[in-house]
Structures are given as C-alpha cells and as structure tokens.
Amino acid sequence: MGSGWFRNSFVWLLILVAVIALLINIFPQASGGRGQPAEEVNYQKIAEWAKQGSIKKITLGEDTLTVEIEGGKQAVMRKTQRLNELDIIGMLRNYGVTDEQLRKFSIEVARPNEFANITGLLLQFVPFLLLAGLFFFMLRQAQGANNQALSFGKSRAKLFASSKPPVTFADVAGEEEAKQELQEVVEFLKYPDKFTALGARIPRGVLLIGPPGVGKTLLARAVAGEAGVPFFSISGSEFVEMFVGVGASRVRDLFDQAKRHAPCIIFVDELDAVGRQRGAGLGGSHDEREQTLNQILVEMDGFDTNTNIIVLSATNRPDILDPALLRPGRFDRQVVLDRPDLQGRRAILELYVKGKPLEPEVNVDEVARQTPGFSGADLANLMNEAAILAARRDKKSIGRAEVQEAVERVLAGPEKKSRVISDKEKEIIAYHEAGHALVMRMLPNCDPVHKISIISRGMALGYTMPLPVEDRHLFTRAKFMDDLAGLMAGHAAEELVFGDVTTGSENDLERATRIARKMVCDYGMSDKLGPRTFGHKEELIFLGREISEQRNYSEDVARTIDEEVRSIVDQAYNTAKDILVQHRSTLEAVAQRLIKEETVEGAAFEAMFKEERVVA
C-alpha cells in the first residue's frame, strides 16, 4: 500500500508542476496589473505625458518600460536595448521635457523576477522530469510483475490461528459418531506423547465423506478449535492453474508453511477437484492436475514421524478419487457423514433456534419429523427463512405458521399467488390432490398425511405433504407398492371424476416409473426375473456426472423388464382406482373442502374420516 501511494503521488506531483509552469508561462505577471490591459506607447507619447504632468512613476524592467499615469492607468513600451535611468532622462530631454517637469515623477529600476527565472528553469526541466517519472513508473510495474511471478507458486491457503477459535464440537450436532472418530485426532494434537509412547501412529490423513451440506467443513474447523492449533484452509481448485507445475509448487509451499506451524491441521476442501483418478483419458503425462496430485501424494507420504501435521479433506465424490490417495499412509481413515436422522435433526434444530425468539406453540420435534432427508445446511436455511418471514410480517417472535411456511418453501418453493388459475383447473387440482391424500390415508404402509393444498408453489400447482413417523433405512416391497399407489392416485382421480387426464400427473408418473424400474433392476423385487440385478453402471470420470450403462442382459430380458415395470405400475394404478371408487363420497368431500379453503391440515383431514365414519 505504501509503495503504491508513493508511486501515484509522485506522478500526480509531476503533472501539477507541469500545469502550474504552463499557466505561468501563458499568463505572465507583466500583463498589465489590476486586471486592465496595458497600452503600448513610444518615447514621444511618454514625453507628452511628462510635459502635461500626468506621469507618476516610470519603472525600468528587463524588457519593458512601464509608465504609471494618474488615474491608475499603465502604459508599456518594449525596449530594444538595455537602458538605465540616465538614458531615459536624456531621451525625454531630447523631446523637450524640462528639468522641472522631470522632477514631478520618479524613475525606478525593477528588481529581477526570481519566480519567473525559476519558472523558466522548471519549464526547461519539465520534459526531463516527465521522462524520469515515466521510467520510474515502468520500473515499479516491472518489479510488481516480478513479485507476482515469484508469488505465483505460493500457497493461497488461509491460516486461522486464533487463540480462541469460534467453532468447537459443541457447534456441531447430528454427527456424534463422526465427532467420536475425530476426537482421537484432537487428542493426538493435544497429547502426542500419549500415543508415541505406545508406538501408535495417528492417521496422517482423514477423509470426510458425505453429501453436500452435512457439515464436513464445519466439523474440520471444530477439530482445529478443539485442539487449539493453527488451521490451514484451502480448496482443491486453488491448486490448479493453466500452467503446468504451478499447482505442485503451491502444494510444496503449503506443506512447508504447515511444518513451520506444526502441530497444525491442513484442510483441503473439495478434494475431488484435484484428486481425480489418473489416466482418465484426457491430458498427457504433463497434465497440471496429475502433476499436482503427484505432489500431494509425495508430500503426504514424506512426513517425518515427529511432524505433528494432520491433513483433513472433504469430498462428496469418493468414487472418483485416485486409489493412491486412499491407501494406508495417506488418507488411511475415512469418516462418513450422512444426512441426520430424526434425533440428529432435532439436535441441529435446537442448535439453530438458539438466539431466535420462538413462540411456545413451535414444536421442534414436529419440524424434525417433517424434514426427513434434510441436511444441516437445509435445516439452517429453514430456520433462517422462518425468521425472515416473521420479520416480514412485523412480528417480534417466530410462530408455528412461519416455521411451517418455511418448511413448505424449502420443499416446494414460495407461493405463487399471482398465478391465475381458472375455476375448472382449480377443481381438477383439488380432485387430484384429494386422490393422493385419500389413497395414502387408506393404505397401511404410506406415511400419514400432514397437509393438503391446492396453492401453487414453485412448479407444482398443488401438493400433498406426508409426515413420516420414523426414519427408514430399509424399504419393503409392500412399502413401495403402497407408495406407488399413492403416486398414481392423482391420475386415477382425474380419470374417475372427469373421464379424462391432464398433464398435472407428469411428475407423479416419472417418479412412479423410476421406483418401479429400480424395484425390477436394482432391488430384485420382480416375480418373473427373480432376485438379481440388471445393468452395470459406469461413471465416466472425465465427464463428471455422465453415466453409461452396460447392458449385461439380452433383448428378451429387456422386454421382460419393460413388461414387469408396466405390470407394477398398472397394479398400483388399479389399487388406487379401487380405493377411490369405494370411497367416492369421501373423495368428493375432501375435494370440495379444498376448493373452498385451498388448504386442509392433517388433523382436519382425519376429522373428516371420523365424520364420514370411514373405516380404513
């Protein structure tokens, strides 16, 4: 900052000097004084003024003779030769001016204008000053470019070395098993002698694996916070540049810095950006990413036994990492972080509601049950949305309505009240959603209905929200069949009531077909094909998410797979239609209430069954 300030000030100073000198040169001081232009005269005119007694003073300059006349006027005569006081008196006597008339005014010799001399010198030296300034500026630029070139291979890792780090294990919830795994890392950094005395070696690299938003980066910072050691944080993409060898240089510099701050933690986020499997088919032996990966492998395997440096990395794509990274001695411990279960979501919500004024009616357990599959980042976003909604409504606390609205915004998007829907389309949507809710209510393996709405959200014109009783990790065939019937119920209700179907079932049909195909090809739930899988999926590493499937079955089997998928979907559709025909009156009642109120809560929906005395 200091050198840049000096450089800019020097350039502006040169420009200011040049401008002042030019202005002085353009507007000299001998321009007449008092803002009035001076009249040019000769000796004859001066002699006439002297005879009349109008002259007050005559001033002899270097190049001019200035005559000051009564009334404040001035006249100027240009001199062609150097004259003194006696020369002027002699000239005026030649024109008939008497001694008595000469005594009425004074003749003075002007002192030399030092400022004008300095200005002249400056004008002469301005070109040289400008050239010197330009040379100095170019020299500074060249030095800056050299400094950038020298720092091009330096590590860009951020160092967090606060004595009281803001993140600890108390700030991480829902990942108790992962915290227990990393507790050993903390103890090793705090008490290394405890392990080395028994000949134990702590894992040099710990790889955090999990989907986005589950808290991999947060957990890594919590490890550094618990251990109280410096924490180097860098993204895998920051190693790679277009010039080969730069990434490897940055890796070397990073590990050199870490050794100087040992014991410490190096955290490399998004490791898959630089640790992809080598030999993927793109790039030659001088590929920059491969050179960087090779340097990481060398640095991790070259630690001294007394170097207390632990490398933590995070990725959500462990399948594409190079096998050399995962071998013992490098990333020899893998900690898997999954989306939190019901208890984990409850703990995360309790963590994020701290500091937020909640109304007593807000039930954290209910919110946790409504959000299966949510990650920690999703839950944080949910509570933030609830707080924003409460502030938008000028409330002093967050109520149940705001939390419920936030859940629906995250799941389906914001309400689109401006979307104009005709009465006919509104009726179709109401029967469609009522069909979903009714079939899900009647089948034993479907989750209870929490809310039905025909208010447009996001891309959906309406939605039926289930409320899982518990988290599931294993799904049975009966569960899949009931869920498929619930998905097909909207399509079946449209056909049953209106005798026609609409495009509103597009997403339902897509999800149902995908589930049915997985049942046949992946889960072995087909009666005809039996318990086996079909198709081998291979991911093309250099194309990212592109997946190619090898068909390890014949055309006859492919035809049978299509028939089985069709059979499963048709069976679910027939189940849904039979339920709707059997409980047509309840379908009508739910649909009409949706048309009238637009939203039906789960408790009100259950009350309708009791009123109608419908037995499941």
PDB file of all heavy atoms in Angstrom, residues 491-501 573 576-577 579-582 584 587:
ATOM      1  N   HIS A 491     -53.653 -39.285 -10.797  1.00  0.00           N
ATOM      2  CA  HIS A 491     -54.008 -39.619 -12.181  1.00  0.00           C
ATOM      3  C   HIS A 491     -55.325 -40.395 -12.224  1.00  0.00           C
ATOM      4  O   HIS A 491     -56.197 -40.125 -13.071  1.00  0.00           O
ATOM      5  CB  HIS A 491     -52.871 -40.445 -12.790  1.00  0.00           C
ATOM      6  CG  HIS A 491     -52.978 -40.653 -14.268  1.00  0.00           C
ATOM      7  ND1 HIS A 491     -52.639 -39.689 -15.180  1.00  0.00           N
ATOM      8  CD2 HIS A 491     -53.402 -41.731 -14.990  1.00  0.00           C
ATOM      9  CE1 HIS A 491     -52.832 -40.158 -16.400  1.00  0.00           C
ATOM     10  NE2 HIS A 491     -53.294 -41.402 -16.314  1.00  0.00           N
ATOM     11  N   ALA A 492     -55.472 -41.355 -11.290  1.00  0.00           N
ATOM     12  CA  ALA A 492     -56.700 -42.161 -11.256  1.00  0.00           C
ATOM     13  C   ALA A 492     -57.910 -41.310 -10.876  1.00  0.00           C
ATOM     14  O   ALA A 492     -59.019 -41.504 -11.414  1.00  0.00           O
ATOM     15  CB  ALA A 492     -56.524 -43.308 -10.256  1.00  0.00           C
ATOM     16  N   ALA A 493     -57.747 -40.330  -9.972  1.00  0.00           N
ATOM     17  CA  ALA A 493     -58.872 -39.477  -9.572  1.00  0.00           C
ATOM     18  C   ALA A 493     -59.341 -38.616 -10.727  1.00  0.00           C
ATOM     19  O   ALA A 493     -60.550 -38.424 -10.918  1.00  0.00           O
ATOM     20  CB  ALA A 493     -58.444 -38.607  -8.386  1.00  0.00           C
ATOM     21  N   GLU A 494     -58.427 -38.099 -11.518  1.00  0.00           N
ATOM     22  CA  GLU A 494     -58.818 -37.292 -12.668  1.00  0.00           C
ATOM     23  C   GLU A 494     -59.650 -38.120 -13.654  1.00  0.00           C
ATOM     24  O   GLU A 494     -60.685 -37.669 -14.166  1.00  0.00           O
ATOM     25  CB  GLU A 494     -57.573 -36.739 -13.366  1.00  0.00           C
ATOM     26  CG  GLU A 494     -56.806 -35.700 -12.564  1.00  0.00           C
ATOM     27  CD  GLU A 494     -55.569 -35.219 -13.299  1.00  0.00           C
ATOM     28  OE1 GLU A 494     -55.411 -35.588 -14.489  1.00  0.00           O
ATOM     29  OE2 GLU A 494     -54.764 -34.477 -12.710  1.00  0.00           O
ATOM     30  N   GLU A 495     -59.173 -39.338 -13.924  1.00  0.00           N
ATOM     31  CA  GLU A 495     -59.913 -40.189 -14.879  1.00  0.00           C
ATOM     32  C   GLU A 495     -61.272 -40.601 -14.320  1.00  0.00           C
ATOM     33  O   GLU A 495     -62.272 -40.649 -15.053  1.00  0.00           O
ATOM     34  CB  GLU A 495     -59.077 -41.416 -15.216  1.00  0.00           C
ATOM     35  CG  GLU A 495     -59.709 -42.287 -16.299  1.00  0.00           C
ATOM     36  CD  GLU A 495     -58.821 -43.452 -16.677  1.00  0.00           C
ATOM     37  OE1 GLU A 495     -57.822 -43.692 -15.971  1.00  0.00           O
ATOM     38  OE2 GLU A 495     -59.116 -44.113 -17.683  1.00  0.00           O
ATOM     39  N   LEU A 496     -61.332 -40.880 -13.019  1.00  0.00           N
ATOM     40  CA  LEU A 496     -62.578 -41.325 -12.409  1.00  0.00           C
ATOM     41  C   LEU A 496     -63.628 -40.216 -12.396  1.00  0.00           C
ATOM     42  O   LEU A 496     -64.805 -40.453 -12.708  1.00  0.00           O
ATOM     43  CB  LEU A 496     -62.307 -41.811 -10.983  1.00  0.00           C
ATOM     44  CG  LEU A 496     -63.524 -42.247 -10.162  1.00  0.00           C
ATOM     45  CD1 LEU A 496     -64.178 -43.482 -10.795  1.00  0.00           C
ATOM     46  CD2 LEU A 496     -63.116 -42.540  -8.722  1.00  0.00           C
ATOM     47  N   VAL A 497     -63.236 -38.998 -12.060  1.00  0.00           N
ATOM     48  CA  VAL A 497     -64.201 -37.905 -11.885  1.00  0.00           C
ATOM     49  C   VAL A 497     -64.518 -37.217 -13.206  1.00  0.00           C
ATOM     50  O   VAL A 497     -65.684 -36.933 -13.510  1.00  0.00           O
ATOM     51  CB  VAL A 497     -63.663 -36.892 -10.858  1.00  0.00           C
ATOM     52  CG1 VAL A 497     -64.617 -35.699 -10.717  1.00  0.00           C
ATOM     53  CG2 VAL A 497     -63.461 -37.562  -9.508  1.00  0.00           C
ATOM     54  N   PHE A 498     -63.503 -36.957 -14.018  1.00  0.00           N
ATOM     55  CA  PHE A 498     -63.706 -36.152 -15.221  1.00  0.00           C
ATOM     56  C   PHE A 498     -63.698 -36.969 -16.512  1.00  0.00           C
ATOM     57  O   PHE A 498     -63.987 -36.429 -17.582  1.00  0.00           O
ATOM     58  CB  PHE A 498     -62.622 -35.075 -15.317  1.00  0.00           C
ATOM     59  CG  PHE A 498     -62.571 -34.161 -14.113  1.00  0.00           C
ATOM     60  CD1 PHE A 498     -61.623 -34.345 -13.127  1.00  0.00           C
ATOM     61  CD2 PHE A 498     -63.505 -33.141 -13.972  1.00  0.00           C
ATOM     62  CE1 PHE A 498     -61.578 -33.515 -12.021  1.00  0.00           C
ATOM     63  CE2 PHE A 498     -63.464 -32.309 -12.868  1.00  0.00           C
ATOM     64  CZ  PHE A 498     -62.511 -32.494 -11.884  1.00  0.00           C
ATOM     65  N   GLY A 499     -63.341 -38.253 -16.416  1.00  0.00           N
ATOM     66  CA  GLY A 499     -63.309 -39.074 -17.619  1.00  0.00           C
ATOM     67  C   GLY A 499     -62.160 -38.738 -18.539  1.00  0.00           C
ATOM     68  O   GLY A 499     -62.141 -39.163 -19.697  1.00  0.00           O
ATOM     69  N   ASP A 500     -61.210 -37.968 -18.079  1.00  0.00           N
ATOM     70  CA  ASP A 500     -60.049 -37.570 -18.873  1.00  0.00           C
ATOM     71  C   ASP A 500     -58.881 -37.318 -17.922  1.00  0.00           C
ATOM     72  O   ASP A 500     -59.064 -37.201 -16.712  1.00  0.00           O
ATOM     73  CB  ASP A 500     -60.361 -36.309 -19.677  1.00  0.00           C
ATOM     74  CG  ASP A 500     -59.409 -36.130 -20.862  1.00  0.00           C
ATOM     75  OD1 ASP A 500     -58.478 -36.959 -21.003  1.00  0.00           O
ATOM     76  OD2 ASP A 500     -59.578 -35.157 -21.625  1.00  0.00           O
ATOM     77  N   VAL A 501     -57.655 -37.239 -18.459  1.00  0.00           N
ATOM     78  CA  VAL A 501     -56.472 -36.989 -17.642  1.00  0.00           C
ATOM     79  C   VAL A 501     -55.769 -35.741 -18.167  1.00  0.00           C
ATOM     80  O   VAL A 501     -55.958 -35.337 -19.321  1.00  0.00           O
ATOM     81  CB  VAL A 501     -55.509 -38.191 -17.653  1.00  0.00           C
ATOM     82  CG1 VAL A 501     -56.111 -39.375 -16.940  1.00  0.00           C
ATOM     83  CG2 VAL A 501     -55.105 -38.556 -19.070  1.00  0.00           C
ATOM     84  N   TYR A 573     -51.812 -48.548 -10.015  1.00  0.00           N
ATOM     85  CA  TYR A 573     -52.896 -47.706 -10.526  1.00  0.00           C
ATOM     86  C   TYR A 573     -54.261 -48.331 -10.221  1.00  0.00           C
ATOM     87  O   TYR A 573     -55.193 -47.633  -9.795  1.00  0.00           O
ATOM     88  CB  TYR A 573     -52.711 -47.516 -12.032  1.00  0.00           C
ATOM     89  CG  TYR A 573     -53.794 -46.685 -12.688  1.00  0.00           C
ATOM     90  CD1 TYR A 573     -53.778 -45.300 -12.606  1.00  0.00           C
ATOM     91  CD2 TYR A 573     -54.828 -47.299 -13.390  1.00  0.00           C
ATOM     92  CE1 TYR A 573     -54.763 -44.543 -13.205  1.00  0.00           C
ATOM     93  CE2 TYR A 573     -55.822 -46.550 -13.985  1.00  0.00           C
ATOM     94  CZ  TYR A 573     -55.780 -45.173 -13.885  1.00  0.00           C
ATOM     95  OH  TYR A 573     -56.775 -44.417 -14.482  1.00  0.00           O
ATOM     96  N   ALA A 576     -55.127 -47.916  -6.537  1.00  0.00           N
ATOM     97  CA  ALA A 576     -55.581 -46.553  -6.244  1.00  0.00           C
ATOM     98  C   ALA A 576     -57.001 -46.332  -6.748  1.00  0.00           C
ATOM     99  O   ALA A 576     -57.846 -45.742  -6.052  1.00  0.00           O
ATOM    100  CB  ALA A 576     -54.624 -45.553  -6.867  1.00  0.00           C
ATOM    101  N   LYS A 577     -57.293 -46.813  -7.951  1.00  0.00           N
ATOM    102  CA  LYS A 577     -58.621 -46.581  -8.512  1.00  0.00           C
ATOM    103  C   LYS A 577     -59.703 -47.320  -7.730  1.00  0.00           C
ATOM    104  O   LYS A 577     -60.801 -46.789  -7.499  1.00  0.00           O
ATOM    105  CB  LYS A 577     -58.635 -47.020  -9.976  1.00  0.00           C
ATOM    106  CG  LYS A 577     -59.849 -46.526 -10.745  1.00  0.00           C
ATOM    107  CD  LYS A 577     -59.672 -46.737 -12.240  1.00  0.00           C
ATOM    108  CE  LYS A 577     -60.830 -46.132 -13.014  1.00  0.00           C
ATOM    109  NZ  LYS A 577     -60.663 -46.338 -14.474  1.00  0.00           N
ATOM    110  N   ILE A 579     -59.687 -47.992  -4.530  1.00  0.00           N
ATOM    111  CA  ILE A 579     -59.917 -47.263  -3.273  1.00  0.00           C
ATOM    112  C   ILE A 579     -60.764 -46.025  -3.537  1.00  0.00           C
ATOM    113  O   ILE A 579     -61.692 -45.705  -2.771  1.00  0.00           O
ATOM    114  CB  ILE A 579     -58.565 -46.895  -2.618  1.00  0.00           C
ATOM    115  CG1 ILE A 579     -57.839 -48.160  -2.163  1.00  0.00           C
ATOM    116  CG2 ILE A 579     -58.774 -45.949  -1.437  1.00  0.00           C
ATOM    117  CD1 ILE A 579     -56.437 -47.900  -1.639  1.00  0.00           C
ATOM    118  N   LEU A 580     -60.476 -45.317  -4.620  1.00  0.00           N
ATOM    119  CA  LEU A 580     -61.222 -44.099  -4.915  1.00  0.00           C
ATOM    120  C   LEU A 580     -62.679 -44.405  -5.248  1.00  0.00           C
ATOM    121  O   LEU A 580     -63.603 -43.663  -4.859  1.00  0.00           O
ATOM    122  CB  LEU A 580     -60.560 -43.347  -6.073  1.00  0.00           C
ATOM    123  CG  LEU A 580     -59.147 -42.803  -5.799  1.00  0.00           C
ATOM    124  CD1 LEU A 580     -58.565 -42.184  -7.056  1.00  0.00           C
ATOM    125  CD2 LEU A 580     -59.182 -41.782  -4.668  1.00  0.00           C
ATOM    126  N   VAL A 581     -62.909 -45.510  -5.966  1.00  0.00           N
ATOM    127  CA  VAL A 581     -64.298 -45.893  -6.292  1.00  0.00           C
ATOM    128  C   VAL A 581     -65.045 -46.280  -5.012  1.00  0.00           C
ATOM    129  O   VAL A 581     -66.208 -45.913  -4.806  1.00  0.00           O
ATOM    130  CB  VAL A 581     -64.288 -47.053  -7.303  1.00  0.00           C
ATOM    131  CG1 VAL A 581     -65.688 -47.623  -7.469  1.00  0.00           C
ATOM    132  CG2 VAL A 581     -63.754 -46.565  -8.655  1.00  0.00           C
ATOM    133  N   GLN A 582     -64.370 -46.997  -4.144  1.00  0.00           N
ATOM    134  CA  GLN A 582     -65.006 -47.456  -2.906  1.00  0.00           C
ATOM    135  C   GLN A 582     -65.341 -46.299  -1.975  1.00  0.00           C
ATOM    136  O   GLN A 582     -66.358 -46.315  -1.283  1.00  0.00           O
ATOM    137  CB  GLN A 582     -64.083 -48.455  -2.205  1.00  0.00           C
ATOM    138  CG  GLN A 582     -64.672 -49.067  -0.937  1.00  0.00           C
ATOM    139  CD  GLN A 582     -63.721 -50.059  -0.298  1.00  0.00           C
ATOM    140  OE1 GLN A 582     -62.645 -50.327  -0.848  1.00  0.00           O
ATOM    141  NE2 GLN A 582     -64.115 -50.612   0.837  1.00  0.00           N
ATOM    142  N   ARG A 584     -65.790 -42.938  -2.836  1.00  0.00           N
ATOM    143  CA  ARG A 584     -66.063 -41.795  -3.721  1.00  0.00           C
ATOM    144  C   ARG A 584     -66.635 -40.603  -2.944  1.00  0.00           C
ATOM    145  O   ARG A 584     -66.284 -39.449  -3.205  1.00  0.00           O
ATOM    146  CB  ARG A 584     -67.042 -42.237  -4.824  1.00  0.00           C
ATOM    147  CG  ARG A 584     -67.476 -41.127  -5.779  1.00  0.00           C
ATOM    148  CD  ARG A 584     -66.316 -40.669  -6.653  1.00  0.00           C
ATOM    149  NE  ARG A 584     -66.719 -39.618  -7.569  1.00  0.00           N
ATOM    150  CZ  ARG A 584     -67.134 -39.841  -8.816  1.00  0.00           C
ATOM    151  NH1 ARG A 584     -67.215 -41.097  -9.286  1.00  0.00           N
ATOM    152  NH2 ARG A 584     -67.464 -38.859  -9.596  1.00  0.00           N
ATOM    153  N   LEU A 587     -63.885 -38.760  -1.239  1.00  0.00           N
ATOM    154  CA  LEU A 587     -63.121 -38.021  -2.248  1.00  0.00           C
ATOM    155  C   LEU A 587     -63.808 -36.712  -2.596  1.00  0.00           C
ATOM    156  O   LEU A 587     -63.172 -35.654  -2.678  1.00  0.00           O
ATOM    157  CB  LEU A 587     -62.942 -38.892  -3.494  1.00  0.00           C
ATOM    158  CG  LEU A 587     -62.256 -38.229  -4.689  1.00  0.00           C
ATOM    159  CD1 LEU A 587     -60.812 -37.898  -4.360  1.00  0.00           C
ATOM    160  CD2 LEU A 587     -62.334 -39.137  -5.925  1.00  0.00           C
TER     161      LEU A 587
END
